[in-house]
Amino acid sequence: VKVVDSGGGSVQAGGSLRLSCVASGFSSRNYCMGWFRQAPGKDREGIAIMDSDGSTSYVDSVKGRFFLSTDGAKPTLYLQMNNLKPEDTGMYYCAADFCPWPGTVIAGTGGGEFVHWGQGTQVTVSS
C-alpha cells in the first residue's frame, strides 16, 4: 500500500486549503483513512478520520471548519479546511489501513492503529 498526500501551503488566517490523499494497493474496500496533524512541539493527533463504513469523526478543534470527502471510486480522502487559524499550522499526514470492522478508528488518537502513511504536507497559517 502506498499513500500520497498533498495540498498544503501557506495562507492567512481565515483562508482555506484542500488536502488530498490517494492510497493505492488495497485489495478490498474495507479501508479506513484519516488526516493527522503534528504541530511544532506537539504530539501527532488524528484530526479527521473516515472509517470503512464511511462514518467520520473530527476533533473538537476542527469541527465545523474541516470537512472530509472522498470520490468513492478509489481510496481517496480530501480534507477541506476552512477558516484556518494560526493554531492549525503543522505538518499534515494522511494515513490508511485495512479496517474490516468499523468502529476501531476515531479522531483524537495518535495514529498508532494506522500502518500506512503519506510523506506529509506542510500547512502554515499566518495571522
Side-chain angles (χ1 to χ4, degrees):
V1 175
K2 182 178 180 181
V3 178
V4 178
D5 45 32
S6 62
S10 297
V11 297
Q12 290 191 327
S16 298
L17 283 173
R18 187 184 190 225
L19 305 184
S20 299
C21 177
V22 180
S24 58
F26 282 105
S27 59
S28 78
R29 296 184 64 86
N30 293 327
Y31 51 83
C32 51
M33 300 177 72
W35 284 98
F36 292 76
R37 176 172 68 198
Q38 186 158 23
K42 295 187 177 181
D43 293 334
R44 185 178 63 195
E45 179 184 40
I47 58 170
I49 305 294
M50 180 173 285
D51 210 335
S52 55
D53 62 355
S55 60
T56 58
S57 61
Y58 302 85
V59 292
D60 288 345
S61 62
V62 307
K63 282 181 181 177
R65 300 188 299 124
F66 291 12
F67 301 94
L68 290 170
S69 65
T70 178
D71 65 11
K74 54 186 177 181
T76 60
L77 192 66
Y78 305 103
L79 182 66
Q80 178 66 41
M81 305 188 294
N82 301 324
N83 190 22
L84 282 160
K85 303 176 180 180
E87 51 264 42
D88 294 319
T89 294
M91 185 69 78
Y92 284 68
Y93 298 91
C94 179
D97 210 339
F98 178 58
C99 294
W101 299 287
T104 59
V105 291
I106 193 171
T109 70
E113 61 273 48
F114 285 88
V115 174
H116 309 288
W117 291 82
Q119 75 284 0
T121 185
Q122 177 69 35
V123 171
T124 302
V125 184
S126 58
S127 56

